[in-house]
Amino acid sequence: MINIIVAMDENRVIGKRGRIPWHISDDIKRFKRLTMGHPVIMGRKTFESICSNLGKPLPGRTNVVVTRSHKYDAKPGCVIFHSLEKALLFVEHQQAFVIGGGEIYKQCLDRADRLYVTHVRDSFNGDTYFPKVDSQRWKLIEHEEHPKKHPKVKIPYAFATYARVF
Ligand SMILES: NC(=O)c1ccc[n+]([C@@H]2O[C@H](COP(=O)([O-])OP(=O)(O)OC[C@H]3O[C@@H](n4cnc5c(N)ncnc54)[C@H](OP(=O)(O)O)[C@@H]3O)[C@@H](O)[C@H]2O)c1
């Protein structure tokens, strides 16, 4: 099963200059809870962004990295594929999470079974976007709004899960 997990703002912005433009600690916790123990598929740029933030690949998850470069060396805890097809074959029959970025989401959206979206209820400057989602093809199955009334919520957001309509 292919799951996409993403946080996007009101204009579908997901990144700016190689980074995520906001910090929502509950979103990071949810990301960890959902993806832990499962393979996570990502583009080379997202992988580099994670490694520069964390100093290492995501722990407790096989980091499946796609790059067209044949010079790219795998770090411990990672596997490298030179095509998305091969990466998706590698995770076949597993609960896999596609974790970005924009290029990879675009290529995976039509193949995903579920979307785990954090809707950031604000707008940010960005250079990377999530593709447009056809609302006819996806059914909202879970929704949890986190408005700005709680002192801990600095940026309002909602957690939403969508299932593909067949
Ligand atoms: N808000 C969120 O939830 C979220 C999540 C993840 C990432 N992000 C943000 O998204 C941005 C990065 O996204 P991005 O679109 O620039 O890059 P990306 O999707 O992370 O990575 C793109 C790279 O993946 C490789 N690639 C793409 N398609 C491929 C294919 N079919 N076969 C083999 N390799 C392929 C290429 O690597 P090579 O150039 O090495 O060939 C390409 O340059 C960052 O700002 C990051 O912070 C946001």
Side-chain angles (χ1 to χ4, degrees):
M1 182 148 161
I2 303 294
N3 304 284
I4 283 181
I5 185 161
V6 62
M8 65 173 115
D9 84 351
E10 288 171 340
N11 304 308
R12 291 183 287 105
V13 164
I14 62 163
K16 188 185 177 187
R17 292 195 196 136
R19 308 193 68 140
I20 295 175
W22 49 79
H23 177 85
I24 300 174
S25 61
D26 275 358
D27 182 46
I28 294 166
K29 285 182 198 148
R30 179 180 189 250
F31 177 87
K32 190 174 175 187
R33 181 167 44 77
L34 287 168
T35 60
M36 189 53 75
H38 303 293
V40 284
I41 302 177
M42 70 203 91
R44 189 262 308 162
K45 291 181 185 172
T46 292
F47 179 66
E48 288 187 348
S49 171
I50 288 169
C51 289
S52 81
N53 270 342
L54 270 184
K56 58 183 180 185
L58 287 171
R61 287 146 281 193
T62 301
N63 288 228
V64 181
V65 182
V66 283
T67 173
R68 294 188 180 94
S69 165
H70 287 266
K71 290 184 190 146
Y72 211 74
D73 285 332
K75 292 195 170 83
C78 304
V79 283
I80 306 270
F81 287 98
H82 299 111
S83 82
L84 184 61
E85 293 307 318
K86 286 187 181 149
L88 291 171
L89 262 181
F90 176 76
V91 303
E92 210 178 21
H93 310 305
Q94 297 182 69
Q95 279 285 350
F97 284 83
V98 172
I99 65 163
E103 282 190 37
I104 299 300
Y105 287 140
K106 199 171 164 191
Q107 296 170 65
C108 288
L109 183 59
D110 285 343
R111 316 176 69 152
D113 303 289
R114 256 179 205 203
L115 308 180
Y116 292 91
V117 182
T118 301
H119 291 287
V120 179
R121 303 292 194 206
D122 206 341
S123 58
F124 291 79
N125 286 324
D127 53 27
T128 317
Y129 292 80
F130 194 78
K132 273 193 182 134
V133 176
D134 179 352
S135 58
Q136 304 283 323
R137 289 175 159 251
W138 295 94
K139 183 180 177 215
L140 181 67
I141 55 169
E142 281 169 24
H143 178 226
E144 198 181 281
E145 202 69 42
H146 294 262
K148 209 176 169 175
K149 62 182 182 205
H150 193 284
K152 272 191 172 174
V153 177
K154 292 195 180 85
I155 303 168
Y157 60 93
F159 292 140
T161 308
Y162 301 86
R164 177 179 291 287
V165 176
F166 288 100

